[in-house]
Amino acid sequence: MKDQKTQYLNKMDVFQDLSEDDVGRIDRSTTMTTCKPGRVFYAPEETGEVLFLLKQGRVQLYRLSPDGKKLVVAELGPGAIFGEMSLVGQGMHNTFAESVTDCTICVMSRQDVRRLIQANPPVALRFLEAMAHRLQETEIKLEELAFKDIPSRLAGLLLELAAKTPGEDRVTGYTHQDLAEILGTYRETTTQILSAFKSSGWIRVQRKRIDLLDVPALRTLKNP
């Protein structure tokens, strides 16, 4: 019977073109570890020596302004890869990677990743697709920062997070501070806007849970 790690690797998009034997070799070359919230995997300008595969939990990629303000450039969930710039020996472009929940991570060395992509060109292509998708998401975030106001961006974020749990119009596991950091604003601003949404009857706010009561209204605000 396949162990848990092999089952997980089989489900990852980047490895879907591999044979069972290939996946087995990857299994033997990776290590699986768990970590608590607050684990920093890498910091700006570090040249990564490993590639991270996220099995469970949430990881944020973020930047810090000179005055310490945090801007989340990506929030990753199960099945994501990060540290991919290690594939080309580059620094992490002023980005931190940090766990925000309990996480289970598989780790591959840069040497093992290079051997893998040299022997399996389709895997190399999927790594490039993952990197391109991450870049596209960053460009969308920058566009929203430039052209959308905070209420519109918050409405869009709530819809996006709720969509990660099909059939459930709710967002769970996020504090007001978490939402503010993803938006690149202040907690007080986020709290004020959530209160306005609540007064309008669009949402119901509980501890680390926001129920979306009027999805059409939030969609209209997201795309005025």
Side-chain angles (χ1 to χ4, degrees):
M1 183 177 179
K2 294 178 183 177
D3 64 24
Q4 187 182 37
K5 185 170 64 172
T6 302
Q7 291 175 353
Y8 165 64
L9 294 172
N10 267 318
K11 293 178 181 178
M12 291 200 68
D13 289 343
V14 292
F15 299 139
Q16 64 180 269
D17 298 301
L18 299 181
S19 67
E20 292 292 324
D21 288 343
D22 289 332
V23 173
R25 281 191 287 272
I26 296 172
D27 186 1
R28 291 188 291 274
S29 67
T30 62
T31 58
M32 183 179 287
T33 185
T34 59
C35 61
K36 298 292 185 182
R39 163 76 182 276
V40 176
F41 299 100
Y42 56 74
E45 304 309 327
E46 289 184 2
T47 299
E49 294 300 325
V50 295
L51 181 75
F52 300 96
L53 316 173
L54 181 57
K55 181 179 185 295
Q56 292 179 337
R58 296 193 346 249
V59 169
Q60 284 184 347
L61 307 184
Y62 64 90
R63 298 184 182 186
L64 291 178
S65 68
D67 61 357
K69 184 179 178 183
K70 184 176 179 180
L71 174 63
V72 176
V73 296
E75 180 156 296
L76 311 179
I81 61 174
F82 59 103
E84 65 271 13
M85 293 308 295
S86 66
L87 302 182
V88 289
Q90 297 297 309
M92 299 306 178
H93 296 298
N94 300 317
T95 303
F96 294 82
E98 181 178 340
S99 60
V100 292
T101 65
D102 291 337
C103 290
T104 303
I105 305 283
C106 291
V107 182
M108 291 184 70
S109 71
R110 185 167 67 183
Q111 184 178 12
D112 285 332
V113 173
R114 285 186 171 180
R115 278 199 295 262
L116 172 66
I117 62 179
Q118 286 170 355
N120 300 275
V123 175
L125 179 59
R126 294 194 182 280
F127 275 123
L128 289 174
E129 289 172 346
M131 294 167 70
H133 180 68
R134 183 82 44 77
L135 178 60
Q136 182 183 41
E137 288 183 332
T138 301
E139 290 175 342
I140 291 172
K141 180 178 286 288
L142 291 174
E143 181 178 319
E144 291 180 343
L145 283 170
F147 300 118
K148 285 189 175 183
D149 59 22
I150 298 175
S152 297
R153 287 160 47 207
L154 180 54
L157 176 61
L158 294 176
L159 292 167
E160 176 188 338
L161 295 176
K164 293 181 179 180
T165 307
E168 300 287 344
D169 289 333
R170 67 173 60 121
V171 176
T172 58
Y174 292 83
T175 65
H176 292 194
Q177 182 66 36
D178 293 334
L179 297 174
E181 290 174 350
I182 295 172
L183 292 172
T185 188
Y186 296 100
R187 181 187 60 78
E188 294 81 3
T189 303
T190 300
T191 298
Q192 289 173 0
I193 297 171
L194 288 173
S195 295
F197 288 1
K198 180 180 176 181
S199 297
S200 298
W202 298 349
I203 64 173
R204 179 171 53 242
V205 180
Q206 303 179 50
R207 179 176 173 80
K208 285 194 174 183
R209 171 173 164 171
I210 300 173
D211 295 310
L212 309 190
L213 305 179
D214 193 339
V215 170
L218 293 170
R219 286 177 177 159
T220 299
L221 181 59
K222 174 190 173 185
N223 300 301

